[in-house]
């Protein structure tokens, strides 16, 4: 399962810059950067988190 095609990506808060979450995605199916609304513990609210490279 080491060559499953999925890569680990890090999600960072767009407002404070903290890198709070890691997840995986299939880069062949979704080459664009990932964006999700996630909870930011520093700001104590939901903010937009983007994939960093």
């Amino acid at each position: 399962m080491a060559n499953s095609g999925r890569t680990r990506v890090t999600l960072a808060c767009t407002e404070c810059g903290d890198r709070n979450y890691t997840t995986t995605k299939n880069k062949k199916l979704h080459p664009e950067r990932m964006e999700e609304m996630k909870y930011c513990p520093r700001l104590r609210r939901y903010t937009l988190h983007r994939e960093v490279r």
Side-chain angles (χ1 to χ4, degrees):
M1 192 166 123
N3 194 7
S4 65
R6 298 188 70 82
T7 57
R8 178 178 281 176
V9 295
T10 304
L11 300 177
C13 178
T14 56
E15 295 186 24
C16 70
D18 283 355
R19 296 178 179 196
N20 299 321
Y21 297 97
T22 59
T23 185
T24 61
K25 78 170 188 177
N26 188 332
K27 285 201 173 189
K28 283 189 175 183
L29 296 177
H30 303 286
E32 65 278 352
R33 284 194 187 189
M34 190 178 198
E35 291 184 350
E36 285 190 35
M37 291 295 287
K38 301 287 255 176
Y39 182 78
C40 180
R42 177 184 278 186
L43 301 176
R44 295 189 195 141
R45 60 188 167 106
Y46 283 86
T47 59
L48 183 66
H49 283 68
R50 283 200 185 110
E51 175 186 344
V52 294
R53 301 204 175 190

